[in-house]
Amino acid sequence: MRLFLSEGSPGSLPVLAAAGRARGRAELLISTVGPEDCVVPFLTQPKVPVLQLDSGNYLFSTSAICRYFFLLSGWEQDDLTNQWLEWEATELQRS
């Protein structure tokens, strides 16, 4: 897997925290890209963070990436985790 991040991107911190929970469960390469770099070939606007899976598929929602890492780590998600992810997406990552 390859995780694309950009310095100053509001989604980078929660994604890195979630990736830390899954450490050792899968090989992860972390790449820093510029905020204007288009990582996902089928998106017309640049978007980070992005997780490219080994299958070649992309996850480009911070919440989806965090949930993926939580599943890899074996951590059972509860309502509080989902509430935090939704709050973070709606309040901290406003466009």
Side-chain angles (χ1 to χ4, degrees), residues 2 4 38-43 47 49-61 64-65:
R2 188 169 180 188
F4 296 91
C38 196
V39 176
V40 183
F42 53 83
L43 291 181
K47 175 82 173 128
V50 171
L51 180 64
Q52 183 180 17
L53 304 175
D54 292 335
S55 65
N57 292 329
Y58 294 89
L59 298 178
F60 45 88
S61 157
I65 296 169

Side-chain angles (χ1 to χ4, degrees), residues 38-83:
C38 196
V39 176
V40 183
F42 53 83
L43 291 181
T44 58
Q45 299 290 323
K47 175 82 173 128
V48 285
V50 171
L51 180 64
Q52 183 180 17
L53 304 175
D54 292 335
S55 65
N57 292 329
Y58 294 89
L59 298 178
F60 45 88
S61 157
T62 299
S63 294
I65 296 169
C66 288
R67 285 185 175 105
Y68 185 81
F69 283 133
F70 293 157
L71 287 172
L72 273 181
S73 71
W75 187 31
E76 294 271 337
Q77 295 179 54
D78 57 11
D79 291 339
L80 189 57
T81 303
N82 289 325
Q83 180 180 340

Side-chain angles (χ1 to χ4, degrees), residues 3-21 28 30-35 39 47-51 59-66 69-70 84-85 88-89 92-94:
L3 179 61
F4 296 91
L5 302 171
S6 178
E7 285 188 29
S9 171
S12 295
L13 185 60
V15 165
L16 285 172
R21 289 196 62 90
L28 179 65
I30 299 176
S31 299
T32 303
V33 297
V39 176
K47 175 82 173 128
V48 285
V50 171
L51 180 64
L59 298 178
F60 45 88
S61 157
T62 299
S63 294
I65 296 169
C66 288
F69 283 133
F70 293 157
W84 167 70
L85 288 170
E88 192 269 337
L92 297 182
Q93 294 191 40
R94 292 184 179 194

